[in-house]
Amino acid sequence: MAVKDRDRFSTATRLRLLGEQTAARVYRSQTKRQARRSRLTGRAALLALVLCTLIVALAYPMRQYVSQRAEIAEQRRQQEQARERVEQLRDLKARWQDDAYAEQQIRRRLHYVKPGETGYVVIDPGAAKQSRADLGAAHRPWYANVWDGVDKSDASDQ
């Protein structure tokens, strides 16, 4: 019995017992972890499947919604531009209804003068470019000059 008591209290015996107890605890915790992991794996897979299904189901309607909102914003912007253009054209029409404005534009664009007045055309010496229509205006028929004036006035309004 003395030998058995001595083995029971020896360092090697104690370390062996301690190792066996630790191994038993580790084994128990691993089996519990594995059991817990196997339960959560099915739930996690189901949750992931449900989330993926929701994402796929909502992706197309969300894309449509966003694109339609962008299209609506673009249409509103174009409507506002059209509204501004209509206002500009109304203002221009109202100005052309005034005889003084019409006379001023006719005199400026077509170089008309009233009887008894002397008309002058001042050429800008700093202008480097002149159109071909301006260079040969004296040698062309009058209606070609009038038509060029209409084209220029139309281009200046825009």
Side-chain angles (χ1 to χ4, degrees):
M1 185 112 175
V3 174
K4 200 168 198 181
D5 285 336
R6 200 176 74 196
D7 283 342
R8 194 174 91 184
F9 294 112
S10 72
T11 306
T13 306
R14 280 191 222 155
L15 286 176
R16 189 174 30 119
L17 280 173
L18 187 61
E20 290 172 359
Q21 290 171 351
T22 306
R25 281 190 210 133
V26 168
Y27 178 73
R28 274 185 280 166
S29 67
Q30 284 179 349
T31 56
K32 286 180 184 177
R33 216 177 286 142
Q34 286 175 353
R36 223 179 302 143
R37 209 180 286 149
S38 65
R39 266 188 301 183
L40 292 178
T41 304
R43 288 180 186 172
L46 182 63
L47 180 63
L49 181 66
V50 168
L51 286 176
C52 288
T53 304
L54 285 175
I55 289 171
V56 168
L58 294 177
Y60 183 73
M62 286 303 293
R63 189 185 67 145
Q64 289 294 100
Y65 175 77
V66 169
S67 67
Q68 287 174 359
R69 295 303 297 176
E71 188 175 330
I72 288 170
E74 177 66 22
Q75 291 294 327
R76 285 184 180 157
R77 186 187 60 77
Q78 288 178 359
Q79 179 184 13
E80 188 61 33
Q81 286 179 346
R83 188 175 290 130
E84 289 173 4
R85 180 70 179 142
V86 166
E87 285 299 318
Q88 290 172 354
L89 291 174
R90 281 186 184 150
D91 291 344
L92 184 62
K93 181 181 175 184
R95 277 189 271 156
W96 277 101
Q97 296 297 324
D98 183 22
D99 289 336
Y101 179 77
E103 182 181 337
Q104 174 193 11
Q105 293 300 314
I106 290 169
R107 293 179 86 173
R108 184 175 67 83
R109 294 179 184 184
L110 302 177
H111 305 290
Y112 276 25
V113 291
K114 290 185 178 182
E117 292 180 350
T118 304
Y120 294 100
V121 177
V122 179
I123 299 173
D124 185 13
K129 288 186 176 180
Q130 287 185 336
S131 68
R132 287 190 155 169
D134 289 342
L135 290 175
H139 303 293
R140 294 180 10 193
W142 65 270
Y143 52 84
N145 293 336
V146 171
W147 190 251
D148 286 343
V150 170
D151 285 339
K152 287 179 186 176
S153 68
D154 189 35
S156 68
D157 288 342
Q158 291 177 357

